[in-house]
């Protein structure tokens, strides 16, 4: 199945559908791959931050601080 794109212009205010070129299809595929890679990086960063935060909280508790004291210093 051919991929299409919609072109809107003064001559075609409702738009017309035209076939994508091979280059446009390749670019869309590359964009999708990059988007997925970016999403994975973002999710890994969030997971690492959460892991580090929990590790820091555990260390503070190991030093003898209670939850109220920890909350007062980290907000």
């Amino acid at each position: 199945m051919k991929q299409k794109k919609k072109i809107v212009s003064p001559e075609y205010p409702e738009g017309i559908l035209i076939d994508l070129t091979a280059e446009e299809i390749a670019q869309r595929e590359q964009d999708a791959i990059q988007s997925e890679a970016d999403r994975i990086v973002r999710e890994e960063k969030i997971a690492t931050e959460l892991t580090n935060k929990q590790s820091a909280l555990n260390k503070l508790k190991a030093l003898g601080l209670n939850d109220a004291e920890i909350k007062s210093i980290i907000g």
Side-chain angles (χ1 to χ4, degrees):
M1 184 173 112
K2 294 219 176 210
Q3 294 186 23
K4 299 201 178 265
K5 66 180 174 181
K6 186 174 186 176
I7 303 292
V8 178
S9 68
E11 298 87 28
Y12 304 101
E14 309 83 38
I16 59 170
L17 293 177
I18 62 170
D19 292 335
L20 292 176
T21 65
E23 292 81 16
E24 290 171 322
I25 292 170
Q27 184 62 52
R28 280 191 177 185
E29 291 170 355
Q30 283 300 108
D31 291 348
I33 291 168
Q34 185 61 50
S35 178
E36 179 65 10
D38 292 346
R39 183 192 63 78
I40 291 169
V41 167
R42 280 190 311 273
E43 287 181 359
E44 288 174 349
K45 181 180 177 186
I46 290 168
T48 299
E49 289 172 353
L50 290 173
T51 300
N52 289 343
K53 182 176 181 177
Q54 188 59 52
S55 175
L57 291 172
N58 292 342
K59 289 174 184 176
L60 288 171
K61 286 183 181 185
L63 290 172
L65 278 70
N66 63 38
D67 290 338
E69 292 168 328
I70 293 171
K71 185 175 180 180
S72 72
I73 62 172
I74 64 169

